Amino acid sequence: MLPLPAFEDNYVWLLHDGNGHALVVDPGDPAPVQQAMQTLGVQLKGILFTHHHADHTGGIAVLHQATGAPVYGPKTESIAGLTHTVQGDDTIQVLETDFVVMDVPGHTLGHIAFYAPRAAGGPLLFCGDTLFSAGCGRLFEGTPAQMMQSLASLAALPGNTRVCCTHEYTLSNLKFAAAVEPDNQDLLHHTAWCMQVRQQGKPTLPSSIELENAINPFLRVRQPQVAAAAHGFDPTIDPQDALAVWAALRRWKNVFK
Ligand SMILES: [Zn+2]
Ligand SMILES: [Zn+2]
């Protein structure tokens, strides 16, 4: 499993099975995918899309034409070139691996995630722009309640699930997370590790559900320090109200520098 860098900070995830077959997720740019196919000597057997934003879907026509691979994407979003539309609780099989589709509205209304509970090497999640390491996607279309529920469904997956997010936002998310929870030791340790790997030009991903539950403020709204920090940002909210805390965190992150 490889994150192929694209544009400024996108990753196109490529999963290959060791038998010359691969799938890719959210190829906004076809070029890094075509290059990796050549380097690795793999054929594309599936192209998966989580949502309709152009930095995720831009490679659809070129890759489908070049490979004939089936193209999966959300039923309720308009993406030209899908061959299979899917929605929550559907299961698709690609590379002889079952992927369960999860509806995760919030960043966009039809956003889906692909979860492979029995992938080789352990459970695997492709979550697009819903869950980022130490953060989450902006609410372009959905409500805080929708996004909080979507994140809760991802946070409930097994702790060893590898989390493949589509952007390298980790260090800036960690900066915000540290402002929310300055005493979170897991957060401080992970920040030190991420700074090191970014200095080496390597990705901080994949993350894991266990790690995100320990460091991601958007999954930790019931922690007293998180609730207190959100209340400090917006004293009008009730710190016992998890949704109000979550929404305040999201508003705070939008203006955080
Ligand atoms: Zn997006
Ligand atoms: Zn994106």
Side-chain angles (χ1 to χ4, degrees):
M1 191 183 53
L2 289 173
L4 309 175
F7 308 118
E8 283 287 291
D9 51 32
N10 284 64
Y11 291 126
V12 178
W13 286 92
L14 182 145
L15 181 67
H16 59 101
D17 65 359
N19 293 316
H21 298 152
L23 66 80
V24 288
V25 185
D26 287 352
D29 182 357
V33 176
Q34 290 179 308
Q35 184 159 18
M37 285 165 57
Q38 216 163 34
T39 310
L40 299 168
V42 293
Q43 285 184 315
L44 218 51
K45 292 295 172 186
I47 310 172
L48 279 53
F49 291 100
T50 62
H51 68 294
H52 67 81
H53 286 158
D55 64 312
H56 296 244
T57 59
I60 192 166
V62 169
L63 291 176
H64 180 60
Q65 257 166 32
T67 65
V71 187
Y72 301 89
K75 189 168 244 168
T76 61
E77 295 199 348
S78 166
I79 301 174
L82 298 182
T83 62
H84 297 71
T85 58
V86 295
Q87 60 189 339
D89 296 330
D90 286 349
T91 299
I92 62 170
Q93 204 181 49
V94 190
L95 303 184
E96 293 176 19
T97 302
D98 283 339
F99 289 86
V100 180
V101 178
M102 299 173 73
D103 285 326
V104 286
H107 177 70
T108 64
L109 280 176
H111 200 305
I112 55 174
F114 297 93
Y115 171 57
R118 285 176 297 281
L124 191 56
L125 173 70
F126 297 112
C127 54
D129 286 354
T130 298
L131 177 61
F132 292 127
S133 186
C136 70
R138 282 177 187 263
L139 298 181
F140 285 116
E141 298 175 12
T143 64
Q146 284 175 318
M147 188 60 146
M148 195 172 103
Q149 176 55 46
S150 295
L151 292 173
S153 67
L154 300 180
L157 295 174
N160 65 340
T161 302
R162 292 163 293 167
V163 179
C164 303
C165 323
T166 320
H167 290 272
E168 181 60 67
Y169 290 157
T170 312
L171 281 180
S172 72
N173 286 340
L174 285 166
K175 199 173 151 197
F176 175 71
V180 177
E181 280 191 286
D183 302 330
N184 182 330
Q185 292 304 312
D186 293 327
L187 186 58
L188 299 176
H189 286 139
H190 189 60
T191 303
W193 181 82
C194 288
M195 288 174 79
Q196 213 170 13
V197 305
R198 290 309 290 155
Q199 270 164 11
Q200 296 162 1
K202 294 182 196 157
T204 60
L205 304 170
S207 183
S208 72
I209 291 296
E210 182 182 26
L211 177 65
E212 292 310 311
N213 277 317
I215 66 166
N216 191 320
F218 293 96
L219 306 181
R220 296 171 59 76
V221 290
R222 288 180 179 84
Q223 295 292 322
Q225 193 174 39
V226 174
H231 187 246
F233 171 74
D234 181 354
T236 67
I237 65 159
D238 173 2
Q240 306 291 333
D241 179 345
L243 177 56
V245 169
W246 194 94
L249 282 183
R250 188 58 262 181
R251 288 196 305 277
W252 184 7
K253 175 68 167 66
N254 290 347
V255 298
F256 183 79
K257 296 232 161 48

